[in-house]
Amino acid sequence: LKLYAGNAVEFHSIPSAFVTLVSEKPCATSLVRLQASQHARVTNLRHESLVVNDVERQVLSLLDGTRTRSEIVDQLAAGVAAGKLSLKRGDESITDPADRVSQLGRMYDQLLPQFARKALFVA
């Protein structure tokens, strides 16, 4: 009970609907994808409300289980090139296309495990 009170464990009567592993083609819940496409607050499968930034919103909206890492990174890079997404290093915009893809790939690799831990993915 002390672990439960300290939020170290959770009790459930049924198995959780979320997965905590990142697959080759990750899938965020349809509600998360919809919410991310409209505003900066999403609801996870623990019924918690989370605030996400613009890059996280863009990534989440693409995680429908049909795209691989490289396809998502390419779509994000296209969004940066089209001016729909801002990508900066310090105060400078990243203009080199190869550097954009590299930076977006690193962001993707950092974000996805965080999304999984936050109960945003389904199998």
Side-chain angles (χ1 to χ4, degrees):
L1 289 176
K2 288 181 182 180
L3 291 172
Y4 176 75
N7 290 322
V9 297
E10 296 179 2
F11 297 120
H12 299 277
S13 60
I14 59 172
S16 298
F18 61 89
V19 295
T20 56
L21 297 175
V22 178
S23 67
E24 183 179 329
K25 294 181 179 180
C27 186
T29 69
S30 55
L31 176 62
V32 165
R33 291 193 315 270
L34 175 67
Q35 290 174 327
S37 72
Q38 296 177 349
H39 47 81
R41 191 169 291 278
V42 298
T43 305
N44 69 10
L45 288 167
R46 290 185 184 126
H47 309 288
E48 300 166 329
S49 181
L50 308 170
V51 176
V52 292
N53 64 34
D54 288 340
V55 173
E56 293 169 334
R57 290 178 61 206
Q58 290 294 319
V59 173
L60 285 168
S61 67
L62 294 171
L63 298 177
D64 62 1
T66 65
R67 297 177 180 95
T68 63
R69 176 192 186 275
S70 62
E71 291 169 329
I72 292 169
V73 169
D74 287 346
Q75 287 193 321
L76 293 170
V80 172
K84 296 178 183 177
L85 186 61
S86 176
L87 186 61
K88 295 183 177 187
R89 182 178 293 116
D91 293 335
E92 301 275 327
S93 291
I94 299 174
T95 56
D96 177 49
D99 195 13
R100 283 181 187 158
V101 169
S102 176
Q103 287 290 0
L104 289 166
R106 281 194 283 275
M107 284 181 187
Y108 178 91
D109 293 340
Q110 291 172 354
L111 287 176
L112 265 65
Q114 293 174 23
F115 291 162
R117 283 191 302 274
K118 292 178 180 177
L120 297 173
F121 291 158
V122 290

